[in-house]
PDB file of all heavy atoms in Angstrom:
ATOM      1  N   LEU E 390      85.423  98.803 163.931  1.00  0.00           N
ATOM      2  CA  LEU E 390      85.306  99.461 162.634  1.00  0.00           C
ATOM      3  C   LEU E 390      85.467  98.405 161.548  1.00  0.00           C
ATOM      4  O   LEU E 390      86.505  97.750 161.464  1.00  0.00           O
ATOM      5  CB  LEU E 390      86.389 100.533 162.478  1.00  0.00           C
ATOM      6  CG  LEU E 390      86.562 101.150 161.081  1.00  0.00           C
ATOM      7  CD1 LEU E 390      85.288 101.848 160.619  1.00  0.00           C
ATOM      8  CD2 LEU E 390      87.743 102.132 161.071  1.00  0.00           C
ATOM      9  N   VAL E 391      84.431  98.211 160.744  1.00  0.00           N
ATOM     10  CA  VAL E 391      84.482  97.268 159.634  1.00  0.00           C
ATOM     11  C   VAL E 391      84.541  98.070 158.334  1.00  0.00           C
ATOM     12  O   VAL E 391      83.571  98.733 157.967  1.00  0.00           O
ATOM     13  CB  VAL E 391      83.257  96.327 159.622  1.00  0.00           C
ATOM     14  CG1 VAL E 391      83.362  95.346 158.453  1.00  0.00           C
ATOM     15  CG2 VAL E 391      83.142  95.579 160.941  1.00  0.00           C
ATOM     16  N   LEU E 392      85.699  98.023 157.687  1.00  0.00           N
ATOM     17  CA  LEU E 392      85.867  98.697 156.397  1.00  0.00           C
ATOM     18  C   LEU E 392      85.462  97.710 155.314  1.00  0.00           C
ATOM     19  O   LEU E 392      86.216  96.792 154.977  1.00  0.00           O
ATOM     20  CB  LEU E 392      87.318  99.146 156.219  1.00  0.00           C
ATOM     21  CG  LEU E 392      87.781 100.250 157.177  1.00  0.00           C
ATOM     22  CD1 LEU E 392      89.280 100.438 157.089  1.00  0.00           C
ATOM     23  CD2 LEU E 392      87.054 101.558 156.894  1.00  0.00           C
ATOM     24  N   ALA E 393      84.255  97.890 154.805  1.00  0.00           N
ATOM     25  CA  ALA E 393      83.654  96.920 153.888  1.00  0.00           C
ATOM     26  C   ALA E 393      83.703  97.440 152.465  1.00  0.00           C
ATOM     27  O   ALA E 393      82.975  98.364 152.105  1.00  0.00           O
ATOM     28  CB  ALA E 393      82.213  96.630 154.303  1.00  0.00           C
ATOM     29  N   GLY E 394      84.565  96.842 151.650  1.00  0.00           N
ATOM     30  CA  GLY E 394      84.649  97.239 150.254  1.00  0.00           C
ATOM     31  C   GLY E 394      83.375  96.918 149.501  1.00  0.00           C
ATOM     32  O   GLY E 394      82.540  96.122 149.944  1.00  0.00           O
ATOM     33  N   ALA E 395      83.224  97.530 148.330  1.00  0.00           N
ATOM     34  CA  ALA E 395      82.034  97.295 147.510  1.00  0.00           C
ATOM     35  C   ALA E 395      81.887  95.813 147.210  1.00  0.00           C
ATOM     36  O   ALA E 395      82.849  95.138 146.854  1.00  0.00           O
ATOM     37  CB  ALA E 395      82.148  98.084 146.209  1.00  0.00           C
ATOM     38  N   GLY E 396      80.663  95.285 147.389  1.00  0.00           N
ATOM     39  CA  GLY E 396      80.376  93.897 147.056  1.00  0.00           C
ATOM     40  C   GLY E 396      81.031  92.875 147.951  1.00  0.00           C
ATOM     41  O   GLY E 396      81.163  91.708 147.580  1.00  0.00           O
ATOM     42  N   SER E 397      81.421  93.287 149.174  1.00  0.00           N
ATOM     43  CA  SER E 397      82.152  92.371 150.059  1.00  0.00           C
ATOM     44  C   SER E 397      81.259  91.654 151.062  1.00  0.00           C
ATOM     45  O   SER E 397      81.743  90.965 151.949  1.00  0.00           O
ATOM     46  CB  SER E 397      83.249  93.135 150.808  1.00  0.00           C
ATOM     47  OG  SER E 397      82.682  94.147 151.636  1.00  0.00           O
ATOM     48  N   GLY E 398      79.936  91.831 150.950  1.00  0.00           N
ATOM     49  CA  GLY E 398      79.003  91.105 151.811  1.00  0.00           C
ATOM     50  C   GLY E 398      78.788  91.728 153.171  1.00  0.00           C
ATOM     51  O   GLY E 398      78.606  91.020 154.164  1.00  0.00           O
ATOM     52  N   LYS E 399      78.751  93.049 153.239  1.00  0.00           N
ATOM     53  CA  LYS E 399      78.624  93.705 154.550  1.00  0.00           C
ATOM     54  C   LYS E 399      77.256  93.453 155.184  1.00  0.00           C
ATOM     55  O   LYS E 399      77.161  93.307 156.405  1.00  0.00           O
ATOM     56  CB  LYS E 399      78.876  95.207 154.440  1.00  0.00           C
ATOM     57  CG  LYS E 399      77.831  96.006 153.679  1.00  0.00           C
ATOM     58  CD  LYS E 399      78.182  97.473 153.655  1.00  0.00           C
ATOM     59  CE  LYS E 399      77.178  98.273 152.859  1.00  0.00           C
ATOM     60  NZ  LYS E 399      75.836  98.268 153.446  1.00  0.00           N
ATOM     61  N   THR E 400      76.198  93.384 154.389  1.00  0.00           N
ATOM     62  CA  THR E 400      74.871  93.109 154.958  1.00  0.00           C
ATOM     63  C   THR E 400      74.846  91.713 155.575  1.00  0.00           C
ATOM     64  O   THR E 400      74.261  91.495 156.644  1.00  0.00           O
ATOM     65  CB  THR E 400      73.775  93.234 153.884  1.00  0.00           C
ATOM     66  OG1 THR E 400      73.848  94.541 153.290  1.00  0.00           O
ATOM     67  CG2 THR E 400      72.397  93.042 154.493  1.00  0.00           C
ATOM     68  N   ARG E 401      75.502  90.776 154.921  1.00  0.00           N
ATOM     69  CA  ARG E 401      75.612  89.417 155.448  1.00  0.00           C
ATOM     70  C   ARG E 401      76.343  89.426 156.787  1.00  0.00           C
ATOM     71  O   ARG E 401      75.926  88.778 157.754  1.00  0.00           O
ATOM     72  CB  ARG E 401      76.359  88.546 154.432  1.00  0.00           C
ATOM     73  CG  ARG E 401      76.516  87.090 154.829  1.00  0.00           C
ATOM     74  CD  ARG E 401      77.198  86.327 153.691  1.00  0.00           C
ATOM     75  NE  ARG E 401      77.499  84.946 154.038  1.00  0.00           N
ATOM     76  CZ  ARG E 401      76.647  83.948 153.943  1.00  0.00           C
ATOM     77  NH1 ARG E 401      75.423  84.189 153.521  1.00  0.00           N
ATOM     78  NH2 ARG E 401      77.010  82.720 154.268  1.00  0.00           N
ATOM     79  N   VAL E 402      77.412  90.206 156.868  1.00  0.00           N
ATOM     80  CA  VAL E 402      78.180  90.299 158.116  1.00  0.00           C
ATOM     81  C   VAL E 402      77.321  90.888 159.230  1.00  0.00           C
ATOM     82  O   VAL E 402      77.295  90.375 160.358  1.00  0.00           O
ATOM     83  CB  VAL E 402      79.450  91.147 157.912  1.00  0.00           C
ATOM     84  CG1 VAL E 402      80.112  91.460 159.253  1.00  0.00           C
ATOM     85  CG2 VAL E 402      80.430  90.427 157.008  1.00  0.00           C
ATOM     86  N   LEU E 403      76.604  91.965 158.924  1.00  0.00           N
ATOM     87  CA  LEU E 403      75.765  92.610 159.933  1.00  0.00           C
ATOM     88  C   LEU E 403      74.686  91.659 160.451  1.00  0.00           C
ATOM     89  O   LEU E 403      74.466  91.562 161.664  1.00  0.00           O
ATOM     90  CB  LEU E 403      75.117  93.870 159.350  1.00  0.00           C
ATOM     91  CG  LEU E 403      76.005  95.110 159.245  1.00  0.00           C
ATOM     92  CD1 LEU E 403      75.345  96.178 158.383  1.00  0.00           C
ATOM     93  CD2 LEU E 403      76.315  95.674 160.624  1.00  0.00           C
ATOM     94  N   THR E 404      74.013  90.980 159.541  1.00  0.00           N
ATOM     95  CA  THR E 404      72.922  90.093 159.975  1.00  0.00           C
ATOM     96  C   THR E 404      73.453  88.902 160.776  1.00  0.00           C
ATOM     97  O   THR E 404      72.859  88.527 161.793  1.00  0.00           O
ATOM     98  CB  THR E 404      72.110  89.601 158.767  1.00  0.00           C
ATOM     99  OG1 THR E 404      72.988  89.019 157.801  1.00  0.00           O
ATOM    100  CG2 THR E 404      71.360  90.741 158.109  1.00  0.00           C
ATOM    101  N   TYR E 405      74.539  88.315 160.320  1.00  0.00           N
ATOM    102  CA  TYR E 405      75.103  87.177 161.063  1.00  0.00           C
ATOM    103  C   TYR E 405      75.694  87.632 162.395  1.00  0.00           C
ATOM    104  O   TYR E 405      75.661  86.877 163.376  1.00  0.00           O
ATOM    105  CB  TYR E 405      76.163  86.460 160.220  1.00  0.00           C
ATOM    106  CG  TYR E 405      75.573  85.416 159.304  1.00  0.00           C
ATOM    107  CD1 TYR E 405      75.009  85.778 158.081  1.00  0.00           C
ATOM    108  CD2 TYR E 405      75.546  84.078 159.664  1.00  0.00           C
ATOM    109  CE1 TYR E 405      74.440  84.828 157.242  1.00  0.00           C
ATOM    110  CE2 TYR E 405      74.984  83.112 158.837  1.00  0.00           C
ATOM    111  CZ  TYR E 405      74.433  83.499 157.623  1.00  0.00           C
ATOM    112  OH  TYR E 405      73.859  82.557 156.802  1.00  0.00           O
ATOM    113  N   ARG E 406      76.215  88.841 162.434  1.00  0.00           N
ATOM    114  CA  ARG E 406      76.741  89.367 163.707  1.00  0.00           C
ATOM    115  C   ARG E 406      75.607  89.512 164.725  1.00  0.00           C
ATOM    116  O   ARG E 406      75.739  89.150 165.895  1.00  0.00           O
ATOM    117  CB  ARG E 406      77.429  90.713 163.471  1.00  0.00           C
ATOM    118  CG  ARG E 406      78.167  91.261 164.693  1.00  0.00           C
ATOM    119  CD  ARG E 406      78.932  92.526 164.319  1.00  0.00           C
ATOM    120  NE  ARG E 406      79.842  92.902 165.381  1.00  0.00           N
ATOM    121  CZ  ARG E 406      79.530  93.667 166.411  1.00  0.00           C
ATOM    122  NH1 ARG E 406      78.291  94.147 166.518  1.00  0.00           N
ATOM    123  NH2 ARG E 406      80.416  93.964 167.342  1.00  0.00           N
ATOM    124  N   ILE E 407      74.462  90.048 164.272  1.00  0.00           N
ATOM    125  CA  ILE E 407      73.304  90.194 165.157  1.00  0.00           C
ATOM    126  C   ILE E 407      72.814  88.825 165.629  1.00  0.00           C
ATOM    127  O   ILE E 407      72.559  88.608 166.823  1.00  0.00           O
ATOM    128  CB  ILE E 407      72.170  90.955 164.433  1.00  0.00           C
ATOM    129  CG1 ILE E 407      72.576  92.413 164.183  1.00  0.00           C
ATOM    130  CG2 ILE E 407      70.884  90.909 165.249  1.00  0.00           C
ATOM    131  CD1 ILE E 407      71.636  93.161 163.257  1.00  0.00           C
ATOM    132  N   ALA E 408      72.689  87.893 164.682  1.00  0.00           N
ATOM    133  CA  ALA E 408      72.219  86.546 165.031  1.00  0.00           C
ATOM    134  C   ALA E 408      73.182  85.880 166.015  1.00  0.00           C
ATOM    135  O   ALA E 408      72.755  85.211 166.971  1.00  0.00           O
ATOM    136  CB  ALA E 408      72.089  85.707 163.765  1.00  0.00           C
ATOM    137  N   HIS E 409      74.477  86.081 165.813  1.00  0.00           N
ATOM    138  CA  HIS E 409      75.494  85.500 166.700  1.00  0.00           C
ATOM    139  C   HIS E 409      75.375  86.078 168.107  1.00  0.00           C
ATOM    140  O   HIS E 409      75.482  85.345 169.108  1.00  0.00           O
ATOM    141  CB  HIS E 409      76.881  85.774 166.118  1.00  0.00           C
ATOM    142  CG  HIS E 409      78.018  85.285 166.971  1.00  0.00           C
ATOM    143  ND1 HIS E 409      78.209  83.953 167.256  1.00  0.00           N
ATOM    144  CD2 HIS E 409      79.017  85.966 167.609  1.00  0.00           C
ATOM    145  CE1 HIS E 409      79.285  83.818 168.024  1.00  0.00           C
ATOM    146  NE2 HIS E 409      79.784  85.018 168.262  1.00  0.00           N
ATOM    147  N   MET E 410      75.118  87.396 168.201  1.00  0.00           N
ATOM    148  CA  MET E 410      74.973  88.024 169.517  1.00  0.00           C
ATOM    149  C   MET E 410      73.780  87.436 170.266  1.00  0.00           C
ATOM    150  O   MET E 410      73.872  87.139 171.460  1.00  0.00           O
ATOM    151  CB  MET E 410      74.807  89.549 169.363  1.00  0.00           C
ATOM    152  CG  MET E 410      76.085  90.275 169.014  1.00  0.00           C
ATOM    153  SD  MET E 410      75.951  92.079 169.203  1.00  0.00           S
ATOM    154  CE  MET E 410      74.770  92.463 167.948  1.00  0.00           C
ATOM    155  N   ILE E 411      72.671  87.279 169.564  1.00  0.00           N
ATOM    156  CA  ILE E 411      71.463  86.741 170.202  1.00  0.00           C
ATOM    157  C   ILE E 411      71.689  85.290 170.601  1.00  0.00           C
ATOM    158  O   ILE E 411      71.252  84.842 171.674  1.00  0.00           O
ATOM    159  CB  ILE E 411      70.255  86.901 169.266  1.00  0.00           C
ATOM    160  CG1 ILE E 411      69.949  88.394 169.086  1.00  0.00           C
ATOM    161  CG2 ILE E 411      69.032  86.169 169.808  1.00  0.00           C
ATOM    162  CD1 ILE E 411      68.882  88.697 168.062  1.00  0.00           C
ATOM    163  N   GLU E 412      72.400  84.538 169.738  1.00  0.00           N
ATOM    164  CA  GLU E 412      72.721  83.154 170.062  1.00  0.00           C
ATOM    165  C   GLU E 412      73.580  83.061 171.327  1.00  0.00           C
ATOM    166  O   GLU E 412      73.464  82.124 172.113  1.00  0.00           O
ATOM    167  CB  GLU E 412      73.457  82.518 168.876  1.00  0.00           C
ATOM    168  CG  GLU E 412      73.633  81.011 168.978  1.00  0.00           C
ATOM    169  CD  GLU E 412      74.320  80.441 167.759  1.00  0.00           C
ATOM    170  OE1 GLU E 412      75.446  80.882 167.437  1.00  0.00           O
ATOM    171  OE2 GLU E 412      73.747  79.546 167.104  1.00  0.00           O
ATOM    172  N   LYS E 413      74.431  84.094 171.543  1.00  0.00           N
ATOM    173  CA  LYS E 413      75.294  84.131 172.735  1.00  0.00           C
ATOM    174  C   LYS E 413      74.547  84.589 173.983  1.00  0.00           C
ATOM    175  O   LYS E 413      75.097  84.562 175.082  1.00  0.00           O
ATOM    176  CB  LYS E 413      76.473  85.083 172.498  1.00  0.00           C
ATOM    177  CG  LYS E 413      77.579  84.509 171.621  1.00  0.00           C
ATOM    178  CD  LYS E 413      78.672  85.543 171.377  1.00  0.00           C
ATOM    179  CE  LYS E 413      79.291  86.011 172.683  1.00  0.00           C
ATOM    180  NZ  LYS E 413      80.385  86.993 172.463  1.00  0.00           N
TER     181      LYS E 413
END
Side-chain angles (χ1 to χ4, degrees):
L390 170 61
V391 181
L392 293 170
S397 62
K399 68 179 178 64
T400 304
R401 182 176 175 84
V402 170
L403 282 168
T404 53
Y405 274 82
R406 187 174 192 272
I407 292 169
H409 177 63
M410 285 193 294
I411 294 173
E412 190 178 57
K413 283 177 59 178

